[in-house]
Amino acid sequence: MPVRLPNRPVCRHCDGFPVVSVTTGARHRDGSRVLLRVLCPACDGTGHALPLPAVLVPAGR
């Protein structure tokens, strides 16, 4: 039987696209562009958010 893994929530900051490439406008000697890879700071490039810890709420008297 397949192992069922719980679904991890998608990061709210990057919507599951944690890495983007930004061109600097410069080119390498072979003509390819110089790119900077930028990771999402909230999820550290995983695309998934950590589950929020349970919060105890005082209720009642």
Side-chain angles (χ1 to χ4, degrees):
M1 295 196 70
V3 177
R4 301 278 180 184
L5 297 176
N7 291 335
R8 291 178 35 196
V10 175
C11 176
R12 298 175 96 189
H13 295 273
C14 65
D15 290 328
F17 296 96
V19 182
V20 295
S21 294
V22 181
T23 182
T24 62
R27 293 189 179 259
H28 293 288
R29 288 185 181 196
D30 63 355
S32 62
R33 294 186 184 267
V34 177
L35 299 175
L36 299 174
R37 292 186 61 198
V38 182
L39 299 177
C40 173
C43 65
D44 292 325
T46 62
H48 297 285
L50 296 175
L52 296 175
V55 178
L56 295 177
V57 178
R61 295 181 183 204

